[in-house]
């Protein structure tokens, strides 16, 4: 089956437009803006030229990703699976064309790894940007660490644990697309402050907005989103003159082994995979005037071990973190979790490993409308597969991309053999955590409630006697 092909131009102000040839394919046209970190009026003027270009390009990539539907409307079964891969042609305005041309093939290779798509990237001159202003308040500049902060369990617990270790101020950098997500992140940070963690928050907004206000369906997979998140962290750390910034994802989540043979390529997210982080660090060295590196200080532990590290703070912090794949924008209670998606199960396994029977999260636990108990059975199978592994090479046989864990993004660096041994030890622990959870706290799923028709709520003939 032929790839779906898309082509876009991204201008210096962040507007992304389909190239004129797209009209021949009947695709809707329109000017769509990926909001800059400073909003419409200031766009990226506060960063230096190299950091502006980095965030500008990452923002344009995410916009193109979201605008390019993988599947035709109504595609099902094998047709839907075969339509996963796309070809995306993206021409972007940057201020330093030569610098970006020098890394074009490397960026395209990274995007292929993250999204499975074929990317053809080109760059044209944006010209100089006149706007310059102060991005950070004075008290933000005095920080011990810059960290990516999503509001998920790893980022919230990681901020707490690092705050205890560093005894200094942590600048939490969030990429926020909705007010609901922003409020959840704010609540989590306030909880951290009440527990004694010194934090400041830098919320960087990124949204697609259609100037013509025409409705258009967006691609939900968004596999390139983490590139923008990492670019924002790098731009902020570089502007502050730091050498590193952090992701608090644990190694199990970074590697994200497929749960079944049917999950291939980027169908499992590669957001914080070692190859992704190695690749962006190489790009940061080549692209930024003040290069920075992203590191993962919790790479060699499981989410359950991170939960244990939080101690008595686990309960209040897990109450203000969100993990569900459903998101929270459409829910009456944004903290409610479905309980059966892979992210919810990762969360439940971790909290149960630290405090059995004391998970404060509200889970619906309805059987999946499409899969029943499929996700639970996947985790059972995954635990058995991991338990059969006798060394690092066996993990590589489950997923060849595990080989990149031999050079993990940690500081200080560790020898490859030690990295392999520690990675394998973490997965052995993780296998036990899954098995213990399923044997002692396996969710009992209830049938999904059937929505009754309106006519059943109203006695239309009550007056007839």
């Amino acid at each position: 089956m032929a790839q779906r092909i898309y082509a876009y131009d991204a201008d210096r102000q962040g507007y992304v437009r389909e190239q004129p040839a797209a009209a021949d394919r009947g695709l809707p046209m329109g000017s769509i803006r990926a909001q800059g970190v400073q909003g419409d009026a200031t766009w990226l003027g506060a960063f230096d030229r190299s950091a502006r270009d980095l965030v500008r390009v990452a923002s344009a990539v995410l916009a193109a990703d979201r605008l390019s539907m993988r599947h035709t409307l109504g595609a099902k079964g094998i047709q839907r699976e075969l339509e996963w891969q796309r070809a995306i042609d993206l021409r972007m305005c940057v201020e330093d064309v030569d610098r970006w041309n020098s890394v074009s093939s490397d960026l395209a290779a990274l995007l292929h790894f993250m999204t499975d798509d074929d990317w053809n990237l080109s760059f044209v001159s944006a010209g100089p940007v006149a706007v310059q202003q102060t991005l950070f308040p004075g008290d933000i500049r005095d920080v011990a660490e810059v960290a990516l902060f999503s509001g998920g369990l790893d980022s919230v617990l990681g901020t707490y644990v690092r705050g205890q270790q560093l005894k200094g101020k942590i600048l939490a950098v969030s990429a926020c697309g909705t007010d609901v997500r922003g409020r959840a992140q704010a609540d989590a940070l306030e909880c951290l402050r009440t527990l004694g963690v010194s934090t400041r928050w830098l919320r960087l907004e990124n949204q697609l907005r259609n100037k013509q206000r025409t409705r258009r369906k967006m691609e939900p997979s968004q596999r390139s989103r983490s590139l923008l998140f990492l670019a924002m962290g790098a731009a902020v750390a570089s502007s502050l003159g730091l050498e590193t910034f952090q992701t608090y994802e644990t190694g199990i989540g970074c590697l994200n082994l497929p749960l079944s043979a049917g999950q291939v390529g980027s169908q499992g997210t590669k957001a914080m995979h070692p190859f992704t982080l190695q690749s962006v660090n190489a790009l940061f060295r080549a692209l930024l005037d003040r290069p920075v590196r992203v590191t993962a200080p919790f790479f060699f532990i499981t989410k359950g071990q991170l939960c244990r590290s939080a101690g008595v703070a686990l309960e209040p912090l897990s109450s203000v973190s969100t993990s569900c794949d459903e998101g929270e924008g459409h829910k009456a209670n944004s903290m409610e979790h479905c309980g059966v998606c892979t992210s919810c199960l990762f969360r439940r396994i971790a909290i149960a490993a630290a405090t059995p029977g004391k998970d404060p999260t509200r889970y619906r636990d309805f059987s999946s409308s499409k899969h029943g108990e499929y996700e639970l059975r996947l985790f059972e199978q995954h635990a058995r597969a991991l338990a059969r592994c006798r060394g690092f090479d066996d993990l590589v046989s489950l997923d060849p991309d595990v080989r990149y864990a031999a050079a993990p993004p940690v500081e200080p660096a560790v020898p490859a053999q030690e990295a392999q041994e520690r990675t394998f030890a973490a997965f052995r622990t993780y296998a036990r955590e899954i098995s213990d959870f399923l044997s002692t706290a396996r969710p009992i799923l209830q049938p999904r409630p059937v929505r009754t028709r309106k006519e059943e709520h109203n006695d239309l003939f009550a007056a007839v006697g």
Side-chain angles (χ1 to χ4, degrees):
M1 182 172 291
Q3 288 177 317
R4 292 170 68 81
I5 302 172
Y6 299 90
Y8 304 96
D9 286 311
D11 69 18
R12 58 178 284 171
Q13 292 299 319
Y15 288 98
V16 176
R17 298 176 175 85
E18 285 173 310
Q19 292 180 9
D24 298 335
R25 300 194 302 274
L27 296 175
M29 301 294 288
S31 175
I32 300 177
R33 172 69 184 273
Q35 287 289 92
V37 297
Q38 292 279 307
D40 278 329
T42 54
W43 186 219
L44 298 171
F47 292 127
D48 68 26
R49 182 178 71 161
S50 64
R52 281 197 299 268
D53 275 350
L54 178 63
V55 179
R56 181 185 284 116
V57 168
S59 181
V61 165
L62 177 58
D65 184 4
R66 293 191 65 196
L67 291 168
S68 305
M69 294 296 294
R70 293 186 184 274
H71 311 294
T72 53
L73 188 63
K76 295 180 180 180
I78 190 64
Q79 179 188 0
R80 184 176 177 84
E81 297 303 318
L82 291 175
E83 287 183 346
W84 176 258
Q85 191 179 38
R86 306 160 297 182
I88 300 176
D89 188 307
L90 180 58
R91 183 167 55 207
M92 294 166 280
C93 284
V94 293
E95 295 174 63
D96 194 334
V97 175
D98 291 341
R99 182 178 277 189
W100 280 91
N101 279 334
S102 71
V103 301
S104 178
S105 60
D106 294 331
L107 178 57
L110 170 59
L111 289 171
H112 179 74
F113 177 77
M114 297 175 72
T115 70
D116 288 330
D117 303 310
D118 292 330
W119 291 78
N120 179 33
L121 306 174
S122 58
F123 305 95
V124 296
S125 177
V129 174
V131 178
Q132 289 288 344
Q133 72 239 346
T134 300
L135 176 64
F136 309 117
D139 59 346
I140 277 185
R141 294 187 174 276
D142 182 23
V143 298
E145 188 161 281
V146 169
L148 303 180
F149 189 84
S150 66
L153 188 63
D154 281 8
S155 69
V156 173
L157 296 182
T159 302
Y160 176 79
V161 173
R162 290 293 284 177
Q164 300 301 304
Q165 294 171 347
L166 296 171
K167 301 299 181 183
K169 188 182 300 178
I170 294 177
L171 176 58
V173 177
S174 298
C176 185
T178 68
D179 289 338
V180 175
R181 167 61 66 172
R183 287 193 295 271
Q185 293 167 341
D187 290 344
L189 287 164
E190 183 58 31
C191 183
L192 284 161
R193 294 186 188 106
T194 63
L195 293 170
V197 180
S198 178
T199 65
R200 286 301 306 268
W201 186 30
L202 193 60
R203 171 181 167 175
L204 309 178
E205 296 186 5
N206 181 271
Q207 295 218 1
L208 280 175
R209 295 180 180 173
N210 191 330
K211 280 186 68 178
Q212 298 176 352
R213 300 188 180 279
T214 54
R215 294 181 62 84
R216 175 164 180 172
K217 192 172 179 61
M218 298 293 179
E219 168 57 39
S221 60
Q222 300 186 51
R223 288 297 186 251
S224 67
R225 176 172 288 279
S226 65
L227 179 64
L228 178 58
F229 200 12
L230 290 161
M232 288 175 169
V236 171
S238 177
S239 297
L240 293 175
L242 301 177
E243 294 182 352
T244 63
F245 67 101
Q246 277 63 42
T247 173
Y248 295 149
E249 187 79 37
T250 59
I252 305 300
C254 287
L255 286 163
N256 196 27
L257 265 64
L259 295 174
S260 76
Q263 186 183 42
V264 297
S266 68
Q267 290 178 342
T269 178
K270 306 292 187 181
M272 297 295 161
H273 195 278
F275 180 79
T276 300
L277 302 187
Q278 293 165 16
S279 299
V280 296
N281 281 340
L283 289 172
F284 297 156
R285 285 195 299 271
L287 293 170
L288 291 173
D289 291 340
R290 292 188 294 269
V292 297
R293 303 179 302 280
V294 58
T295 67
F298 302 115
F299 186 82
F300 291 122
I301 67 173
T302 70
K303 191 188 292 280
Q305 290 171 317
L306 180 59
C307 286
R308 283 192 287 275
S309 298
V312 296
L314 173 60
E315 182 174 357
L317 290 176
S318 58
S319 298
V320 294
S321 69
T322 56
S323 307
C324 188
D325 289 340
E326 289 183 338
E328 61 282 320
H330 64 288
K331 298 177 181 177
N333 177 1
S334 62
M335 290 292 111
E336 181 185 69
H337 289 62
C338 77
V340 297
C341 69
T342 54
S343 294
C344 279
L345 290 171
F346 279 132
R347 175 193 182 92
R348 299 177 83 152
I349 291 164
I351 295 175
T355 56
K358 295 183 179 180
D359 188 343
T361 314
R362 177 183 174 183
Y363 301 109
R364 288 201 309 272
D365 283 348
F366 292 153
S367 177
S368 169
S369 60
K370 293 183 178 179
H371 305 141
E373 293 194 0
Y374 179 66
E375 286 81 2
L376 283 170
R377 293 196 294 272
L378 277 183
F379 273 87
E380 290 176 335
Q381 173 185 302
H382 191 48
R384 290 194 295 268
L386 292 176
R388 290 193 294 268
C389 293
R390 294 294 177 263
F392 184 80
D393 289 344
D394 291 332
L395 292 178
V396 175
S397 70
L398 295 179
D399 179 7
D401 289 334
V402 171
R403 68 189 186 275
Y404 293 112
V410 297
E411 292 192 354
V414 299
Q417 183 63 35
E418 179 184 344
Q420 292 173 0
E421 292 171 354
R422 294 175 68 179
T423 299
F424 175 68
F427 273 99
R428 291 286 289 186
T429 299
Y430 179 53
R432 291 193 296 271
E433 291 174 352
I434 300 173
S435 296
D436 290 346
F437 170 76
L438 292 175
S439 63
T440 63
R442 181 189 178 98
I444 300 174
L445 304 186
Q446 304 299 318
R448 185 174 294 270
V450 177
R451 292 184 179 181
T452 56
R453 299 174 61 185
K454 286 185 177 181
E455 287 81 357
E456 296 174 8
H457 287 291
N458 298 282
D459 187 352
L460 299 181
F461 306 100
V464 179

